[in-house]
Amino acid sequence: MIFVLAIATLYLKLSSEPHLSNEEQIQALLAKGETAIESRNVRQAMSLVSADYKDSVGFTYPTLRIEVMQAFRSADAFDVILGHPKIHISGNSAVVNLDVSVAAIRAGERQNVFSSPVTLKLRLEQQTRYFFFHIPKWRIISISIEGAFVPGF
């Protein structure tokens, strides 16, 4: 009986969460990514990336995670500025084009480390919550950067 009440409670909690449009969900993903970088939170940043991530540089999810960890260790803080994104959604896929600028703060000194147009490819994946509820969630499957790539900032 307690198990049924627990399941009912979880279902009600999930069904009461606000239902955002795909574009709003992608905007939220971008905001979470900005916050994750500025707070140097590897776990939060990587939660936005698909396990199937692969880009033209050859990075996969594990190699991207290592690069993110090294980059986050390289500065005391980061300041991220995201330009207005252009979001193109087609079914369970999306492409986001935006300008990204990142400044690293080291020992009180601000240094611009990255500024370039960026293209994110996203896919709507099923996320398991509370062990068996499946919720669709947008995740990054590839990142392209115009110009040279700067690993680890």
Side-chain angles (χ1 to χ4, degrees):
M1 181 66 168
I2 293 174
F3 180 72
V4 172
L5 287 173
I7 296 298
T9 302
L10 287 174
Y11 177 77
L12 289 173
K13 179 183 180 340
L14 290 173
S15 64
S16 67
E17 290 181 359
H19 297 286
L20 302 174
S21 70
N22 283 328
E23 189 161 336
E24 290 169 328
Q25 290 175 48
I26 291 170
Q27 291 277 6
L29 175 140
L30 296 172
K32 286 179 187 174
E34 182 177 7
T35 300
I37 293 169
E38 290 182 341
S39 64
R40 298 173 35 219
N41 187 327
V42 174
R43 193 171 134 253
Q44 184 181 7
M46 294 308 295
S47 74
L48 307 173
V49 178
S50 172
D52 297 330
Y53 180 91
K54 184 163 175 78
D55 61 32
S56 61
V57 178
F59 284 3
T60 59
Y61 181 93
T63 53
L64 181 64
R65 181 176 173 79
I66 291 167
E67 286 293 326
V68 168
M69 289 181 351
Q70 290 174 345
F72 285 1
R73 287 187 197 128
S74 72
D76 301 325
F78 291 97
D79 183 27
V80 178
I81 298 171
L82 301 179
H84 182 72
K86 293 178 184 152
I87 301 171
H88 307 280
I89 301 168
S90 177
N92 290 339
S93 299
V95 175
V96 179
N97 295 298
L98 73 162
D99 292 326
V100 178
S101 296
V102 180
I105 295 125
R106 298 178 182 101
E109 296 287 323
R110 179 186 176 90
Q111 177 186 8
N112 293 328
V113 292
F114 179 83
S115 185
S116 180
V118 172
T119 300
L120 304 174
K121 291 184 182 175
L122 308 175
R123 181 173 63 206
L124 195 57
E125 299 182 340
Q126 294 298 316
Q127 174 190 18
T128 303
R129 291 192 52 195
Y130 306 112
F131 301 106
F132 50 89
F133 288 105
H134 298 286
I135 310 291
K137 181 177 179 182
W138 288 100
R139 288 209 169 96
I140 300 166
I141 59 170
S142 180
I143 300 172
S144 320
I145 300 170
E146 194 173 293
F149 180 73
V150 184
F153 298 132

